[in-house]
Amino acid sequence: MKDTETMGYISPELFIPIAEENGMIHELGNEVFRKVCRFASENKLEDYGVHYIEVNLSGAQFMDDKLNELLSNRVKEYNISPEFINLEITETASVETAAMLEYNMYRLKEKHFKFSMDDFGTGYSNLAKIAHSNFDMIKLDKSLIWPCFDKFTEKEARIILESSVDMILKLGKDIVAEGVETKEQVDYLTKLGVEYLQGFYFSKALPEDKYLE
């Protein structure tokens, strides 16, 4: 969020918990999803070679038993294939909302939506749960990656990261590495077999017109 008069940029880490607490997260999340669908549809993003878009969902949204109906109706409205949407939920939220999450994931996956576990490495890291989860993709948090390039933490951090990558790939899931900012990080992660990289090395967040450009 951007407050042009007083606070400047306000991180999601600040305003999302407030929106979850006061109930506004449902309205906010629905509007974000609508705007994503509109943007993808109006600009025919698949013609640019975009294979999918990630959309974050709050754990609170997964507590809504109408989530399946809401998202399905929205993609129909904009004539978008559900397979074009990857729904992100944080590792912590996936544990805290386990029963309802599985219920909604099952119904949405029947409609061919896909799912990413976001921020892997920051929450409970329940490895047994990941092994039996319906997530298609695991997103490695930057807190697992950046210590691999610090001379004081490099040795131990690389053991943890390399073991995590190996495990996730053996489970047959795709991996996204977040927070990638240098060529050194790109080369190292690519060598490990991480196929998808995200971060400022490629681009910062962009408004619609700059993204299309």
Side-chain angles (χ1 to χ4, degrees):
M1 296 178 70
K2 185 168 71 169
D3 181 340
T4 57
E5 296 181 0
T6 56
M7 299 179 69
Y9 286 97
I10 305 169
S11 167
E13 294 177 0
L14 294 177
F15 71 79
I16 292 295
I18 296 172
E20 290 177 330
E21 186 175 340
N22 67 21
M24 290 182 67
I25 192 65
H26 297 282
E27 184 179 356
L28 180 62
N30 292 343
E31 180 65 8
V32 167
F33 194 76
R34 184 192 69 79
K35 286 192 171 186
V36 168
C37 291
R38 175 197 57 77
F39 179 65
S41 177
E42 289 182 356
N43 295 287
K44 296 181 171 55
L45 293 188
E46 289 181 274
D47 291 348
Y48 287 85
V50 178
H51 300 298
Y52 68 90
I53 289 183
E54 301 260 354
V55 183
N56 292 87
L57 293 182
S58 161
Q61 289 176 269
F62 270 96
M63 299 306 291
D64 184 355
D65 61 4
K66 294 184 175 64
L67 183 67
N68 165 57
E69 181 182 352
L70 191 152
L71 299 185
S72 297
N73 288 341
R74 190 66 76 194
V75 293
K76 284 181 183 177
E77 177 185 351
Y78 287 95
N79 195 30
I80 293 174
S81 169
E83 295 177 345
F84 190 68
I85 304 292
N86 237 25
L87 299 170
E88 285 190 26
I89 185 166
T90 63
E91 178 188 0
T92 303
S94 73
V95 174
E96 292 174 346
T97 63
M100 186 58 79
L101 172 69
E102 290 182 13
Y103 171 74
N104 273 320
M105 280 184 73
Y106 175 77
R107 296 173 72 195
L108 286 163
K109 285 182 77 72
E110 281 190 320
K111 302 285 179 64
H112 305 294
F113 285 93
K114 295 183 179 179
F115 285 85
S116 295
M117 175 183 284
D118 196 14
D119 299 339
F120 175 76
T122 63
Y124 298 98
S125 295
N126 188 325
L127 303 182
K129 180 177 177 59
I130 291 171
H132 298 98
S133 74
N134 282 318
F135 287 100
D136 304 284
M137 183 176 283
I138 306 295
K139 302 190 73 176
L140 303 176
D141 188 75
K142 64 180 181 292
S143 62
L144 281 178
I145 296 166
W146 288 2
C148 295
F149 301 89
D150 183 321
K151 65 180 180 180
F152 298 107
T153 58
E154 177 180 351
K155 182 178 179 181
E156 294 82 1
R158 293 201 173 201
I159 291 173
I160 294 170
L161 179 63
E162 290 171 14
S163 298
S164 296
V165 168
D166 183 59
M167 174 193 69
I168 294 167
L169 291 177
K170 285 180 177 177
L171 288 171
K173 301 181 188 298
D174 290 324
I175 301 175
V176 179
E178 299 181 300
V180 178
E181 297 190 351
T182 68
K183 180 67 162 56
E184 184 183 10
Q185 292 170 347
V186 170
D187 292 343
Y188 172 64
L189 291 162
T190 301
K191 188 176 180 179
L192 291 184
V194 178
E195 189 172 0
Y196 299 100
L197 308 175
Q198 171 185 324
F200 286 180
Y201 178 80
F202 303 99
S203 178
K204 294 186 177 182
L206 298 171
E208 294 181 357
D209 57 339
K210 292 295 183 182
Y211 176 78
L212 292 171
E213 182 182 317

